[in-house]
Amino acid sequence: MTQAGVVEEAAPTGRAARELLERADVLLASARTVLADHTGAVDAVRGVLDPLLDGLVGRELAVIPVSRLKDVTEGRLRIGAFDQAGFTTVGQIHAAGRYELQQIPGVGSQTAAQALAAAGQIAHAVRETVAVRISVEEPDETTTALVMALHRLVDAGPDVRRAVDAAGRLAGRLEPLLIAAGPARRRMRMLFTGRENRSRALEAVGEVRDVVAEAERRELSLLFAQVSVDLLRAGESDVAAWVDFELRSAEYYSLLAELSGLSPDRDAAEGFLPSGIAERVRELQLDDTRLRVSLRGYQSFGARFALAQKRVILGDEMGLGKTIQAIAALAHLSARGETHFLVVCPASVLINWVREVRARSTLRTLPVHGPERRAAFDAWREGGGVALTTFDALHTLPDAAGCGLRPGMLVVDEAHYVKNPATRRAQAVSGWTQHTERVLFLTGTPMENRVEEFRSLVRHLQPELAPSIRITHGAAGSLAFRRAVAPAYLRRNQVDVLTELPALVQVDEWEEFGPEDLEVYRAAVRAGHFMRMRRAAYARPETSAKLHRLRELVAEASEGGLKVVVFSYFREVLDTVGQALDSPVFGPLSGRLAAAGRQRLIDDFTATDGHAVLLSQIQAGGVGLNMQAASVVILCEPQIKPTMEHQAVARAHRMGQIRTVRVHRLLATDSVDQRMLDILARKERLFDLYARRSDVAETTPDAVDVSDGALARRIVEEEQQRLVTGAAGTDGEFTADTDEAETAGADADVADTDAADPVGPA
């Protein structure tokens, strides 16, 4: 190394060292502040949660007979004296003090201590099994206080976890370094410090410089300050907290499980992997600096499994977040220096992938799809990021060998699409897998029932493993199968890892109009037909992107034996859906059916063993009926009135539901769907805050709803203007029909509303 290089690497001294240490002091103080603020927020939750848990444990102990103490002590404890003194339950023993027990004739100090210790063991075991149930239907003062305390942490967002983890690591590194660097703060002190201590101080200053530089690169001071502000922000009203809980209950329950220590069984969360593989995965530290969300424990493990094993299938059950685990793996690799990533998926979910990557990470995305796909591919090759393409587009692009590029990771969603090696899509994917070190296949299909299909997928990933996979592995059951194929397969089920009450998971499924759909849509816009605009996406069933995605969702639900409810405002849309499905279909449930007939239809749907689909007009099925047999809800289009969606979803997501409910809302980009969501978003928030939880809102939706005839007219006018501006050569004059007959019969659950058009004729 040159002399100049030595000078460049030397630790700062004198004033430069003092200024550096002062900056480090400020950084350390901000780290300690955010840790203290987080501790305060957590303590506020524990202040409500601990008494709640104590009460639940007490109720459980109150029905456990005192004789169970003998079981715990293996018969060594004599309980006759307790029984005679009226202590009949473990709860009574646990609540008593040693002095009180020693007053019982025949009970000495040792017996009292044994009894209390045994009761404590039972109480500890009970505490690990009880769960706090937050009732939206019957909120009380205590659960409201808990929801408000949790809201403070949830509302602060995913940056809290990142900030707290970073602050803890930073404080752990800086505190000892600043102590060691202490002599460098004063010139005179350095002069009178021994050579060894002076050398140690200069070395510490150099390390402080590196720590501070890394913190500044990651903008940790800004992160800490923002999170502290978020954690100290004045709490919203109890109504706002309850509304937020309903909208994202999964996040509340995840935090609740973490703080109460009720995490899922580790073996289940780790997919019952052999200990050697599980340990290797645990040792990998996930870098989440480029993520915008916090991961649940099993999700973090899934991302680390993909990274540690390099070429694997992630087969988690629908609803557990396979996409976010894949994004976390990509973000980790990006933070470690990888620049290019490739995601291959069905065309129906391409837009969702683009939105998810952008919303949940800081990674650059480039959709490589459509007429401009070659230009987009070239831009990705030159500039990096996450290229997202479809199975059908992949074979038209240069292969990995031809473009001289090795992505940091290849992700293949709905990987069962490439199970047949003879197909063009499988061959295109294989070309990339052979030239990519890390490959992640995603599929919700349970592979233990499809051993040959699984073996075909494994040949893409770990060819040496495929011959050892035999039919008998699947026949031996899911756990035996998972252990046999552990190097390449991780699957977790909802029941194993979701310790909370069933969550409501809402997913917006964005689709693009095909040419024929778009032609129908443009015609409806030109004519000013609002209702025809809303159902244009289903006018050509053979090319309908929404219908294609709906069939995929139903097929995935069928694989898991799940029941599905499909809601639409339009009877003709439901007829189209029914004709397109291969599943057992009930309905449509509409206003034409009398109330008793509707209930019989739902009863028949519920009684069906396994998968089935119930079709329902949203006005007819949204009120007064229970559909909790269903755990997948599909909304064919967004609704003008938010109450319609809320009430319809509530038919499935209610007391009695034992699984997570997934709600898929099918939406078309650059259409009436997007205009409706944009306009309603702000108004719906106000509606939620001040009306939704009131008795008036429940009984008379129109009294507080946010929609009216003007909304429909505004949307039509905006779409007409957009198409005039964005598409040259449109024929005809754009004029909106402003008929005031808004959604005739829309709120009457006996209405058949095919012809109800608040803007123009159907």
Side-chain angles (χ1 to χ4, degrees):
M1 183 179 292
T2 65
Q3 184 64 32
V6 173
V7 173
E8 183 178 291
E9 293 295 327
T13 58
R15 176 181 294 180
R18 292 192 292 274
E19 290 176 352
L20 171 66
L21 296 177
E22 287 172 2
R23 284 160 52 207
D25 288 338
V26 173
L27 184 61
L28 179 58
S30 64
R32 288 171 173 165
T33 297
V34 78
L35 290 172
D37 293 338
H38 179 256
T39 298
V42 169
D43 287 346
V45 175
R46 292 195 187 282
V48 184
L49 177 61
D50 288 344
L52 263 176
L53 289 173
D54 289 342
L56 292 172
V57 171
R59 283 196 286 275
E60 292 288 329
L61 295 180
V63 296
I64 298 176
V66 73
S67 59
R68 289 291 301 278
L69 297 178
K70 292 184 66 175
D71 300 335
V72 175
T73 60
E74 298 179 348
R76 294 192 300 273
L77 179 67
R78 292 184 230 172
I79 62 171
F82 297 119
D83 220 352
Q84 292 175 10
F87 287 83
T88 58
T89 69
V90 172
Q92 291 171 312
I93 298 291
H94 188 255
R98 180 180 296 190
Y99 177 78
E100 181 181 353
L101 295 181
Q102 287 180 219
Q103 304 309 304
I104 300 172
V107 176
S109 174
Q110 183 176 353
T111 301
Q114 281 183 317
L116 288 172
Q121 289 181 46
I122 294 175
H124 180 74
V126 169
R127 193 180 182 93
E128 290 183 339
T129 62
V130 297
V132 173
R133 307 299 192 193
I134 299 177
S135 173
V136 177
E137 284 80 9
E138 300 177 0
D140 56 30
E141 185 176 332
T142 304
T143 52
T144 296
L146 178 61
V147 169
M148 292 182 71
L150 288 168
H151 177 69
R152 181 179 170 191
L153 283 163
V154 171
D155 198 48
D159 281 343
V160 171
R161 178 66 59 83
R162 286 183 53 225
V164 169
D165 289 347
R169 290 193 295 267
L170 184 69
R173 292 186 66 189
L174 270 185
E175 284 171 350
L177 289 176
L178 288 175
I179 292 173
R185 293 179 182 274
R186 298 287 185 272
R187 183 184 304 173
M188 294 300 294
R189 187 175 173 188
M190 278 293 277
L191 288 175
F192 291 99
T193 297
R195 178 180 298 176
E196 185 176 338
N197 287 340
R198 186 186 304 123
S199 176
R200 188 179 300 119
L202 290 174
E203 182 181 346
V205 169
E207 291 188 45
V208 168
R209 176 192 57 196
D210 295 341
V211 173
V212 170
E214 174 65 13
E216 290 175 347
R217 184 187 67 79
R218 296 174 59 189
E219 298 183 328
L220 291 185
S221 290
L222 182 61
L223 174 66
F224 296 160
Q226 183 59 58
V227 168
S228 283
V229 168
D230 291 340
L231 289 173
L232 295 176
R233 185 181 294 125
E236 294 191 61
S237 67
D238 57 346
V239 173
W242 273 111
V243 168
D244 192 62
F245 170 77
E246 290 188 67
L247 294 174
R248 43 180 179 170
S249 60
E251 294 181 44
Y252 282 77
Y253 274 119
S254 177
L255 181 59
L256 187 61
E258 178 184 328
L259 295 180
S260 61
L262 298 176
S263 300
D265 176 77
R266 190 170 79 170
D267 287 343
E270 295 177 352
F272 302 98
L273 293 176
S275 58
I277 295 177
E279 187 61 35
R280 182 162 62 253
V281 173
R282 288 185 216 119
E283 289 174 354
L284 191 147
Q285 183 71 39
L286 190 67
D287 191 330
D288 63 357
T289 55
R290 300 194 178 179
L291 272 182
R292 287 178 170 152
V293 294
S294 293
L295 302 178
R296 301 181 70 157
Y298 73 86
Q299 291 173 334
S300 173
F301 186 87
R304 286 179 286 150
F305 175 79
L307 293 164
Q309 295 298 101
K310 294 187 177 181
R311 302 173 68 88
V312 297
I313 299 169
L314 180 59
D316 285 346
E317 187 177 12
M318 183 174 72
L320 295 183
K322 293 185 289 294
T323 301
I324 184 56
Q325 293 175 68
I327 293 171
L330 299 181
H332 170 92
L333 293 171
S334 176
R336 299 300 172 92
E338 294 286 353
T339 57
H340 291 72
F341 308 98
L342 178 61
V343 174
V344 184
C345 62
S348 58
V349 297
L350 181 71
I351 298 172
N352 289 303
W353 262 99
V354 173
R355 289 172 177 264
E356 287 290 292
V357 175
R358 290 175 179 171
R360 301 181 185 277
S361 75
T362 61
L363 303 179
R364 177 191 186 213
T365 59
L366 292 95
V368 181
H369 181 53
E372 304 299 322
R373 59 184 177 273
R374 286 300 297 267
F377 183 84
D378 291 341
W380 170 65
R381 185 165 50 185
E382 293 298 320
V386 182
L388 301 113
T389 192
T390 67
F391 290 110
D392 292 333
L394 184 64
H395 74 88
T396 69
L397 301 171
D399 60 22
C403 70
L405 186 64
R406 293 174 66 90
M409 177 174 276
L410 167 67
V411 177
V412 180
D413 194 13
E414 305 293 352
H416 47 275
Y417 275 49
V418 297
K419 64 185 178 183
N420 184 351
T423 61
R424 188 167 58 183
R425 64 168 62 119
Q427 291 166 2
V429 167
S430 179
W432 282 92
T433 61
Q434 292 175 26
H435 290 84
T436 306
E437 181 183 7
R438 298 180 184 86
V439 181
L440 175 58
F441 280 8
L442 306 178
T443 177
T445 302
M447 290 288 108
E448 53 266 37
N449 300 327
R450 302 164 176 266
V451 174
E452 184 53 44
E453 180 179 324
F454 180 80
R455 190 158 44 206
S456 176
L457 295 181
V458 168
R459 288 193 187 99
H460 288 284
L461 304 170
Q462 300 184 31
E464 70 283 359
L465 180 63
S468 65
I469 302 170
R470 297 184 295 275
I471 297 294
T472 53
H473 288 136
S478 61
L479 291 185
F481 175 82
R482 292 185 208 176
R483 291 185 183 278
V485 300
Y489 183 55
L490 176 66
R491 178 177 174 85
R492 281 78 55 89
N493 297 323
Q494 289 180 357
V495 68
D496 293 328
V497 297
L498 295 183
T499 57
E500 69 271 12
L501 277 175
L504 180 65
V505 180
Q506 303 190 59
V507 180
D508 284 346
E509 304 277 357
W510 289 95
E511 308 298 333
E512 288 182 313
F513 280 132
E516 295 186 19
D517 300 328
L518 185 58
E519 181 183 346
V520 174
Y521 181 73
R522 286 178 178 274
V525 173
R526 284 195 294 269
H529 288 281
F530 180 63
M531 289 303 202
R532 194 175 296 172
M533 288 163 58
R534 292 182 63 201
R535 59 181 186 263
Y538 300 93
R540 300 286 187 271
E542 60 279 1
T543 60
S544 169
K546 278 193 179 183
L547 188 59
H548 179 71
R549 180 57 180 156
L550 187 149
R551 293 183 65 182
E552 288 182 337
L553 293 170
V554 171
E556 188 172 355
S558 175
E559 291 287 349
L562 305 178
K563 286 186 167 64
V564 182
V565 176
V566 178
F567 285 115
S568 175
Y569 189 88
F570 306 101
R571 172 65 184 265
E572 70 177 61
V573 170
L574 294 175
D575 290 341
T576 299
V577 170
Q579 293 168 12
L581 295 179
D582 298 325
S583 303
V585 174
F586 293 80
L589 190 158
S590 73
R592 295 175 181 175
L593 285 176
R598 276 177 270 167
Q599 190 57 60
R600 279 196 300 273
L601 186 63
I602 292 174
D603 290 344
D604 292 342
F605 167 71
T606 302
T608 300
D609 186 25
H611 169 71
V613 178
L614 174 65
L615 307 178
S616 175
Q617 279 191 280
I618 199 163
Q619 321 83 290
V623 178
L625 298 171
N626 296 335
M627 302 174 179
Q628 62 261 42
S631 50
V632 178
V633 176
I634 300 175
L635 301 170
C636 290
E637 70 284 321
Q639 303 305 310
I640 307 173
K641 295 176 179 288
T643 45
M644 280 192 183
E645 288 191 17
H646 296 321
Q647 291 170 345
V649 171
R651 296 311 100 207
H653 186 250
R654 60 187 296 111
M655 297 298 291
Q657 175 58 251
I658 59 172
R659 297 179 65 91
T660 295
V661 176
R662 287 186 63 86
V663 179
H664 298 267
R665 183 163 55 172
L666 300 176
L667 304 165
T669 57
D670 293 327
S671 74
V672 59
D673 294 352
Q674 193 157 342
R675 300 289 89 72
M676 287 174 65
L677 297 190
D678 292 344
I679 293 172
L680 289 173
R682 183 176 59 84
K683 291 183 178 181
E684 184 175 359
R685 178 63 174 168
L686 295 174
F687 168 79
D688 277 335
L689 284 175
Y690 299 110
R692 185 172 162 202
R693 297 196 57 77
S694 71
D695 292 337
V696 175
E698 294 297 325
T699 58
T700 316
D702 277 348
V704 293
D705 220 320
V706 300
S707 56
D708 51 31
L711 173 65
R713 288 192 295 276
R714 177 179 171 187
I715 290 172
V716 170
E717 290 166 0
E718 288 188 0
E719 279 298 272
Q720 290 176 335
Q721 182 61 41
R722 182 180 68 84
L723 292 180
V724 166
T725 303
T730 53
D731 55 343
E733 183 180 354
F734 288 86
T735 57
D737 186 337
T738 55
D739 186 354
E740 294 292 342
E742 180 186 0
T743 54
D747 293 313
D749 66 0
V750 297
D752 187 0
T753 58
D754 279 358
D757 191 332
V759 176

